[in-house]
Amino acid sequence: MDVLYKSTRGDGTLITGSQAVLKGLADDGGLYVPNQIPKLDIALEKLADMNYREIAYAVISKFLTDYTEEELKDCIDHAYDSKFDDEEVAPVKKVGDVHFMELFHGSTIAFKDMALSILPYLLTKAAKKNNLENEIVILTATSGDTGKAALAGFANVPGTKIIVFYPKGGVSKIQELQMITQKGDNTFVVGVNGNFDDAQTGVKKMFNDVALKELLDQANYQFSSANSINIGRLVPQVAYYVWAYSRLVKDGTIKAGEKINFVVPTGNFGNILAGYYSKLMGLPVNKLICASNDNKVLFDFFQTGNYNRNREFILTSSPSMDILISSNLERLIYHITGEKEEENIQFMNQLTQEGEYTITEEEKALLADFFGGYADEKENAACIKKTYEDWDYVTDTHTGVANCVYKKYLEETGDKTPTVIVSTASPYKFARSVMTAIDEQYDRKDDFELIADLNQLSKVAIPKAIQEIMDAEIVHNHISDIDKMEDAVKGFLNI
């Protein structure tokens, strides 16, 4: 059965998976969702004998049905190759009574590599399949990690250009250096005078600008997205939930068919939504625990059914979660409202115009698969320190939030279901915050001294991604105000 895609704000018009990957965002401003969730048709016992590439194919092929087996396997083989420094790609490690799925063994040491390593291949194959003549311009906003992973994935890929906007002063020093030292004739990076939500709103505005779209077409360009709003980003993420389950079966933690929990540090809601899709496919998932930092808009939503971005935006040590507009939540809202475009559009318009919307009690009851929790900066630091002291295991600040929220969940519910914490970044990416959480004396040192200290403390080799930026030349130094983002894009494209 072919899986087709429709917009969360559309009239039900269906397009193929490759067309949805190419477009990124629907013309009406909606996000593409599958017209049906395919079933995982592999016996759960057999998953334990499969490697990551095999599981990725088993999952992705169910969603992107207009790609051939040869095309998808070629994409997967190119994506999950030696750029990952662990042969398992995403090792699952037992620490105390919980498992951590490490999604940061790719070239940019963050979980975005898991999807952005394959997206360029999905996109270029989609262009050929659909006889696209225009050059693809990847336009994306980042809260820190997507930007570098997308830049690395698309650098010097023929027929593409990539423009990344990030909040100046709103990402870690390492995150910024990774982006502004990126090489590639087709790469462009812009620091925005604003926060991530400002940058993301500016990007969405350009996607929906009809006049700009016509101007691009005249110059033989068209926009596509590398954000998790692109279904080509979301679908590959479903695979690693199935992978984590397979590892717990393999190591004897569970028997095939038993349920597990996932704890996901959450900002834009794409990662945890992929976990939800894995459950809808038939993976035995008990709870999806949504972990927020001080910007706890999602926690409040799961508590009350009211989504309200009218609040102070707080810069934290987990910047990829410093988000007040969680774009992918729109997909979940669309599903729980019975895929009623009119109701979804009304909610999204309220969010734009009034900054909030409230779902019904009946709709809120359909969120039972999720549990919302949050950890503030002090709690996060304490959890990072205790995990190191108890288990000699060092987590980054985002994983620290998830770990802390899990401990609160356990205390509140007593739920002893085997649990996987989704570890989204290497501690090396946030060395200062991690090291000062363990001992405040480290705050007196510079960033690269802290890298050496973290190496000694964690006994984990310094990743190649960190070694490369220590002496790298700064290539990108463009700064823009929010209202000048379009001018920056036109300048880069000479239009």
Side-chain angles (χ1 to χ4, degrees):
M1 182 81 71
D2 284 343
V3 174
L4 299 172
Y5 291 82
K6 57 184 176 178
S7 169
T8 53
R9 305 184 194 181
D11 59 5
T13 300
L14 297 173
I15 64 174
T16 65
S18 64
Q19 289 170 335
V21 169
L22 269 179
K23 291 180 73 68
L25 191 69
D27 292 336
D28 53 36
L31 308 186
Y32 285 113
V33 293
N35 68 332
Q36 58 182 311
I37 301 295
K39 293 302 177 186
L40 190 65
D41 59 358
I42 297 173
L44 295 173
E45 307 85 45
K46 292 184 178 179
L47 291 174
D49 299 322
M50 298 170 70
N51 64 33
Y52 191 86
R53 295 171 193 81
E54 290 168 337
I55 285 179
Y57 177 76
V59 172
I60 297 170
S61 62
K62 299 295 182 293
F63 282 95
L64 301 180
T65 54
D66 67 318
Y67 287 80
T68 67
E69 179 178 351
E70 181 183 6
E71 287 170 337
L72 278 183
K73 286 186 174 177
D74 185 62
C75 291
I76 288 166
D77 287 345
H78 278 92
Y80 306 116
D81 59 9
S82 60
K83 72 172 69 70
F84 286 84
D85 65 17
D86 190 291
E87 63 179 18
E88 285 211 305
V89 179
V92 178
K93 297 182 179 178
K94 193 170 191 299
V95 179
D97 295 328
V98 71
H99 287 77
F100 288 82
M101 175 167 56
E102 296 183 347
L103 297 176
F104 52 75
H105 288 272
S107 57
T108 74
I109 58 176
F111 84 103
K112 307 298 174 77
D113 289 324
M114 300 300 295
L116 282 164
S117 291
I118 193 171
L119 182 60
Y121 299 101
L122 292 174
L123 198 57
T124 51
K125 286 193 186 324
K128 289 179 183 177
K129 291 171 75 68
N130 292 279
N131 301 311
L132 183 70
E133 295 181 1
N134 285 349
E135 187 167 359
I136 298 166
V137 179
I138 301 297
L139 188 67
T140 195
T142 182
S143 55
D145 287 336
T146 287
K148 173 57 182 178
L151 287 162
F154 283 94
N156 295 319
V157 171
T160 70
K161 294 185 188 300
I162 176 164
I163 304 171
V164 171
F165 292 93
Y166 73 94
K168 185 69 178 172
V171 300
S172 78
K173 182 67 173 176
I174 298 295
Q175 285 178 311
E176 182 174 46
L177 281 172
Q178 282 189 301
M179 287 187 281
I180 64 178
T181 59
Q182 175 66 52
K183 295 178 181 177
D185 294 338
N186 65 335
T187 64
F188 305 92
V189 180
V190 183
V192 170
N193 292 320
N195 60 41
F196 169 73
D197 288 332
D198 295 326
Q200 182 169 250
T201 299
V203 165
K204 281 189 172 182
K205 182 180 177 183
M206 284 186 274
F207 265 102
N208 295 325
D209 189 325
V210 175
L212 180 58
K213 192 173 297 184
E214 291 175 354
L215 189 63
L216 285 166
D217 190 53
Q218 291 168 12
N220 297 316
Y221 291 122
Q222 77 173 57
F223 284 146
S224 189
S225 174
N227 278 79
S228 55
I229 57 174
N230 191 318
I231 200 71
R233 268 282 305 279
L234 186 61
V235 165
Q237 292 181 271
V238 179
Y240 53 67
Y241 289 91
V242 180
W243 165 256
Y245 190 90
S246 80
R247 296 308 89 186
L248 267 60
V249 173
K250 185 171 184 175
D251 72 11
T253 298
I254 59 170
K255 293 179 180 178
E258 291 181 354
K259 290 186 175 183
I260 68 173
N261 294 331
F262 286 99
V263 190
V264 190
T266 308
N268 217 17
F269 209 76
N271 199 355
I272 197 167
L273 182 68
Y276 179 64
Y277 277 9
S278 78
K279 178 168 183 172
L280 295 181
M281 287 189 85
L283 195 70
V285 176
N286 177 42
K287 283 289 183 184
L288 293 159
I289 300 165
C290 179
S292 299
N293 63 14
D294 283 295
N295 294 290
K296 56 187 182 69
V297 62
L298 286 167
F299 168 77
D300 292 339
F301 171 71
F302 284 117
Q303 292 290 110
T304 66
N306 172 252
Y307 191 94
N308 190 333
R309 65 174 174 84
N310 298 317
R311 62 184 71 202
E312 180 188 1
F313 182 90
I314 303 170
L315 289 174
T316 74
S317 63
S318 47
S320 295
M321 300 161 68
D322 291 346
I323 294 172
L324 295 181
I325 304 175
S326 301
S327 291
N328 273 287
L329 187 64
E330 179 173 344
R331 285 184 165 116
L332 180 63
I333 296 298
Y334 180 73
H335 292 311
I336 67 168
T337 55
E339 301 194 349
K340 297 172 184 172
E341 291 86 358
E342 302 83 1
E343 189 172 351
N344 184 65
I345 290 170
Q346 183 179 354
F347 284 147
M348 296 309 119
N349 285 341
Q350 288 175 351
L351 182 63
T352 300
Q353 295 161 13
E354 302 163 27
E356 65 175 315
Y357 61 84
T358 303
I359 61 175
T360 66
E361 284 299 316
E362 293 77 14
E363 289 161 351
K364 185 172 179 287
L366 296 175
L367 299 175
D369 291 321
F370 296 88
F371 176 93
Y374 81 97
D376 62 28
E377 286 286 87
K378 188 175 180 180
E379 291 171 323
N380 186 14
C383 193
I384 291 170
K385 181 175 183 177
K386 183 167 176 52
T387 301
Y388 167 68
E389 291 176 343
D390 289 353
W391 303 105
D392 280 338
Y393 187 76
V394 182
T395 66
D396 88 292
T397 46
H398 303 74
T399 309
V401 168
N403 194 15
C404 188
V405 166
Y406 174 62
K407 286 174 169 50
K408 289 183 175 184
Y409 170 81
L410 202 57
E411 188 175 328
E412 182 176 331
T413 67
D415 178 14
K416 296 294 182 64
T417 301
T419 297
V420 174
I421 293 175
V422 179
S423 185
T424 54
S426 166
Y428 280 101
K429 202 154 192 173
F430 304 93
R432 178 168 300 280
S433 296
V434 168
M435 294 300 285
T436 53
I438 292 171
D439 191 329
E440 290 182 357
Q441 68 163 331
Y442 287 112
D443 201 30
R444 297 193 296 269
K445 300 191 175 186
D446 69 35
D447 287 273
F448 290 120
E449 284 180 310
L450 289 173
I451 296 295
D453 290 332
L454 178 54
N455 174 235
Q456 288 196 333
L457 203 71
S458 67
K459 303 177 184 65
V460 173
I462 298 173
K464 183 180 177 184
I466 297 295
Q467 294 173 5
E468 287 176 345
I469 63 171
M470 286 185 170
D471 300 307
E473 175 190 359
I474 292 176
V475 180
H476 308 278
N477 53 17
H478 198 107
I479 306 295
S480 172
D481 290 331
I482 296 298
D483 60 355
K484 300 295 183 184
M485 288 171 61
E486 183 177 320
D487 291 340
V489 169
K490 289 178 177 177
F492 293 143
L493 301 179
N494 294 313
I495 59 173

